[in-house]
Amino acid sequence: MKINAIITIQIFFVLWAIRSSAQQTIPEVESLLSKMTIDEKIGQLNLVTPGGGIATGSVVSTNVEAKIKAGQVGGLFGISGPEKIKMAQDYAVKHTRLGIPLFFGSDIIHGYKTTFPIPLGLSSSWDMELLRKTAEIAALEATADGVNWNFSPMVDIARDPRWGRIAEGAGEDPYLGSEIAKAMVNGYQGNDLAATRTMMACVKHFALYGASEAGRDYNTVDMSKIRMYNEYLPPFKAAIEAGVGSIMTSFNDVDGVPASGNRWLLTELLRQRWGFNGFVVSDYTSVNEMVAHGLGDLQAVSALALKAGLDMDMVGEGFLTTLRKSLEERKITEEDITAACRRILEAKHKLGLFQDPYRYIDTKRPQRDILTKEHRKIAREVAAQTFVLLKKHRNTLPLKKEGTIALIGDLANSKNNMLGTWAPTGDPQLSIPILEGIKNVAPNANILYAKGANITNDTVMAKNVNVFGPRVVMDARSPEEMRKEAVEVAKKADVVVAVVGEASEMSGESASKTDLDLPETQKKLIRALVLTNTPVVLVLMSGRPLTIEEEMELPVSILQVWFPGVEAGNAVADVLFGAYNPSGKLTATWPLNVGQIPIYHSIKNTGRPQPSSTFEKFKTNYLDAPNEPLLPFGYGLSYTHFEYFDVHINKDQVGPEETVSVSVTVKNTGDYSGHEVVQLYLRDVVRSITPPKRALKGFKKIFLKQGERKTVTFDLRPNDLKFHNAKLNFVSEPGDFEVYVGTDSNTELKTTFKLVE
Ligand code: NOJ
């Protein structure tokens, strides 16, 4: 009886699933599918790149033209420009039997030709409208050049700054990361994917890539489901809820099976649980890489990937060369191939390519839409909002636009390092170096420039980071000679601005590091400059948190500017001279030293919490360093000062379906107007799985004139109190909650409420 009931329920679900998937089908796509041969379907699953851009693996596709004409290609990436794209589209439309158009992908990570700051920098603005706008401009420019599919946003949670790709994402926090994922998807895709100024987004890397062991790129990941659901997956889910059209797998294992062959991940979670109806593309040769992972030969891993729910194979051609054989050997079914092909064709349909394969090709658009004055203006404003004031010393900042300024550092006069990692569509030569920006903004100041030091004197490091062109340029002079020149210049000046940090390719893909200090030669330079007694401002560039304990203790001011993009110099000058008061806040914790890594704000208490910051035996701490980071998540200063008071909650008890409102008053008590990012953190005091000490659950960016005060109200909705429990259900549990509001994740301003049944 029982078994019969179970079988009936199962049959019901299968029929329901078939019916609901049938309901969603697109007649035009179904009709096309009915005409396609197996080989034509397999061809659609193949994504190629002719190289020329940045190839992120050792393989690039060969005989691309012939393959397109033979119907063996579904999409192309790494080419741009209406002429080239038209030519490739012609190969597909005019030379293949069914004339199925290609889509054209690209990595447009932080702007197309108008390069914005690196994503970690963008996230530091905590300004969702600003982020959405950068994506919208990227889409406008990219589509003007014929590109209609973007391998962005990268939403991997990253808590290990050794991992170079922390630069490409939104930092460590799932709540902020989810908000940013939505903003970026909305910016790229707009309301209408078929519009010629929007493109399909591709959220990546699914999943857990940011947790690569030891911060080493492409490395193993092993993680509990509880942690995945609560901390690493939310930004992907948010992107899917925002309607993202495609998703890219990651290189790492998820529970012992690489993401590209992981059926639990790509089918059970992504499609069945979350209802994702777009398509899944592999990362660069990640199907083939499952051979090295130890999962079998190319035929076996390709079949595994298809069966898992992967639709498109990037570059490796495992699908193209082995799926037919696997079908003949009954390792896969024709329906497996058709299902993947259907999803690719549906994406082309959403992009409007069946209506008009040439809709994104308009030779008048590049001139009109790309790198316009207006876009550059926005890039300048955006960049200024991403800078984080790490330290204020005396009243050195903002600078006066007069007197003598000693501008020191290789990075102060380097076009090649301004765009940051993953900006292959940008042109470094169009970027504004800091020297030029300072001259633009303070034309009456006397600027003296000296290089002072190489970015690094490590020739092996220099070679490794110069793969895409000269980022580290070694000076013929000795370090001592260069330093001496800088010190002479500093002595003559009223203020020193030293631009220090990483070269742009010291972070990004395949740029993991075990040492996060500033290179020794730059440290020596900074010490020497401080000894001149001329006030020193450090402008710090990096694609990751650095370990700068020594520099934080020196009598200097420090402004973190990431890699600010095409308008770098102007934006840095705007902030240095006070046209914009810095308001950025860190979105990844800055450790004291690499031994503290992985490090993030939403840690758990442990069973042996540390009662104070001094060492205590048998408590959770280190013998040789405190637990506290150098700079906490959410941290960032301003030229002015904000005071917080009157935290208020509208009820002491809330039911599970109720919203509770928390308000706080913020006053600008300093000497300048400015923005402040007001943050709210929640602590679920008792629950069935161990809670984090605090979790970010709200933020608002406000503007306060000098002397002005505002009351900021946050609504905590039922979902904000929920988490995934041991059964992975998303629930809230009755009990006490503590709410913290303030300027960063260390705030002690608190109120409480109780969740009742
Ligand atoms: C490898 C990277 O992991 C991915 O982010 C990128 O989109 C592809 N290469 C294509 O360039």
Side-chain angles (χ1 to χ4, degrees), residues 12 25 65 182 226 228 235 257 271 305 338 347 393 395 402 428 434 463 484-485 513 542 584 628 668 677 704-705 732:
F12 171 78
T25 55
E65 178 183 339
K182 282 190 260 176
I226 293 268
M228 281 183 210
V257 181
R271 299 189 194 284
T338 305
H393 182 69
N395 289 328
E402 59 198 29
I434 316 292
K463 182 172 152 280
K484 191 158 167 261
E485 181 197 39
K513 286 176 81 189
S542 70
E628 289 71 30
N668 181 346
V677 180
L704 290 178
K705 291 199 202 105
S732 56

Side-chain angles (χ1 to χ4, degrees), residues 31 59 76 147 162 166 199 214 226 261-262 266 288 367 383 396 443 449 457 462 566 575 579 588 624 638:
S31 136
V59 186
L76 206 59
V147 173
R162 291 172 298 184
I166 195 170
M199 60 187 170
I226 293 268
N262 193 310
L266 304 186
N288 314 54
Q367 171 74 12
T396 315
Y449 173 74
N457 288 336
V566 68
V575 173
D624 58 352
S638 163

Side-chain angles (χ1 to χ4, degrees), residues 185-501:
V185 170
N186 290 335
Y188 290 136
Q189 297 195 160
N191 298 327
D192 176 11
L193 258 185
T196 53
R197 50 191 296 150
T198 61
M199 60 187 170
M200 183 172 284
C202 181
V203 66
K204 67 189 189 183
H205 306 84
F206 196 55
L208 321 181
Y209 185 29
S212 299
E213 281 179 5
R216 179 154 53 79
D217 216 351
Y218 318 120
N219 202 9
T220 309
V221 172
D222 198 355
M223 187 186 291
S224 72
K225 289 250 166 58
I226 293 268
R227 174 164 259 183
M228 281 183 210
Y229 274 72
N230 285 308
E231 300 170 38
Y232 281 75
L233 297 176
F236 290 97
K237 187 147 185 286
I240 288 161
E241 283 163 6
V244 73
S246 63
I247 190 159
M248 187 188 294
T249 59
S250 57
F251 289 114
N252 52 279
D253 301 7
V254 174
D255 241 341
V257 181
S260 302
N262 193 310
R263 187 171 165 83
W264 171 78
L265 188 71
L266 304 186
T267 297
E268 289 170 36
L269 177 69
L270 184 63
R271 299 189 194 284
Q272 292 169 355
R273 187 164 173 150
W274 289 353
F276 175 64
N277 64 6
F279 75 98
V280 183
V281 62
S282 76
D283 202 345
Y284 206 103
T285 61
S286 67
V287 172
N288 314 54
E289 289 170 27
M290 288 195 280
V291 176
H293 275 284
L295 269 79
D297 62 14
L298 186 60
Q299 184 189 346
V301 296
S302 301
L304 180 75
L306 186 78
K307 281 273 185 207
L310 187 88
D311 303 314
M312 192 164 220
D313 178 8
M314 188 191 291
V315 179
E317 299 193 347
F319 276 10
L320 187 72
T321 55
T322 69
L323 287 189
R324 176 164 263 288
K325 186 156 183 266
S326 292
L327 180 67
E328 283 156 11
E329 292 169 6
R330 296 172 187 246
K331 295 193 167 120
I332 57 172
T333 64
E334 183 172 350
E335 186 39 39
D336 295 329
I337 296 171
T338 305
C341 182
R342 174 180 291 115
R343 293 193 276 252
I344 304 294
L345 298 180
E346 283 175 351
K348 295 183 178 182
H349 184 268
K350 287 183 202 159
L351 286 167
L353 290 169
F354 290 122
Q355 233 174 19
D356 176 7
Y358 299 96
R359 66 190 304 129
Y360 297 90
I361 301 169
D362 177 351
T363 47
K364 288 192 249 52
R365 277 193 64 192
Q367 171 74 12
R368 193 183 70 206
D369 291 340
I370 296 178
L371 203 72
T372 62
K373 259 198 186 150
E374 173 65 9
H375 292 174
R376 286 196 81 129
K377 186 168 160 269
I378 296 173
R380 179 171 177 167
E381 289 163 7
V382 167
Q385 299 210 39
T386 66
F387 302 162
V388 187
L389 185 60
L390 301 183
K391 187 173 175 213
K392 290 198 272 192
H393 182 69
R394 304 229 166 93
N395 289 328
T396 315
L397 286 172
L399 301 178
K400 297 184 192 60
K401 293 183 182 174
E402 59 198 29
T404 301
I405 300 172
L407 182 64
I408 312 289
D410 194 5
L411 288 165
N413 194 21
S414 163
K415 285 181 183 253
N416 278 342
N417 284 297
M418 293 304 100
L419 301 187
T421 187
W422 253 135
T425 50
D427 179 353
Q429 295 320 308
L430 299 176
S431 65
I432 311 282
I434 316 292
L435 176 57
E436 195 180 321
I438 289 186
K439 285 184 179 163
N440 291 341
V441 171
N444 296 327
N446 176 29
I447 317 290
L448 306 174
Y449 173 74
K451 183 168 170 178
N454 293 321
I455 296 175
T456 173
N457 288 336
D458 177 343
T459 48
V460 177
M461 171 70 84
K463 182 172 152 280
N464 292 345
V465 300
N466 283 349
V467 280
F468 303 132
R471 303 294 191 260
V472 176
V473 182
M474 295 289 188
D475 205 282
R477 293 171 294 170
S478 72
E480 292 71 24
E481 237 179 300
M482 289 165 76
R483 215 159 37 237
K484 191 158 167 261
E485 181 197 39
V487 165
E488 293 306 316
V489 166
K491 281 182 183 160
K492 289 186 208 139
D494 300 309
V495 66
V496 173
V497 175
V499 188
V500 293

Side-chain angles (χ1 to χ4, degrees), residues 54-57 77 106-107 109 151 154 165 168 204-205 209 218 248 251 283-284 314 422 509:
I54 289 183
T56 53
F77 75 102
S106 189
D107 284 282
I109 309 300
F151 304 151
M154 169 338 207
R165 299 198 81 171
E168 285 181 56
K204 67 189 189 183
H205 306 84
Y209 185 29
Y218 318 120
M248 187 188 294
F251 289 114
D283 202 345
Y284 206 103
M314 188 191 291
W422 253 135
E509 186 171 349

Side-chain angles (χ1 to χ4, degrees), residues 390 408-414 417-418 434 451-458 461 465 471-473 497-507 513 515-526 529 537-548 551 558-564 590:
L390 301 183
I408 312 289
D410 194 5
L411 288 165
N413 194 21
S414 163
N417 284 297
M418 293 304 100
I434 316 292
K451 183 168 170 178
N454 293 321
I455 296 175
T456 173
N457 288 336
D458 177 343
M461 171 70 84
V465 300
R471 303 294 191 260
V472 176
V473 182
V497 175
V499 188
V500 293
E502 294 188 318
S504 65
E505 297 307 326
M506 284 182 177
S507 52
K513 286 176 81 189
D515 177 359
L516 303 182
D517 283 359
L518 286 172
E520 190 52 34
T521 186
Q522 295 194 53
K523 286 174 89 74
K524 282 189 182 154
L525 171 67
I526 295 166
L529 293 172
V537 176
L538 300 182
V539 172
L540 190 56
M541 285 190 184
S542 70
R544 53 154 62 86
L546 296 175
T547 47
I548 52 160
E551 290 72 24
I558 308 182
L559 182 70
Q560 168 67 17
V561 301
W562 315 107
F563 292 99
W590 283 44

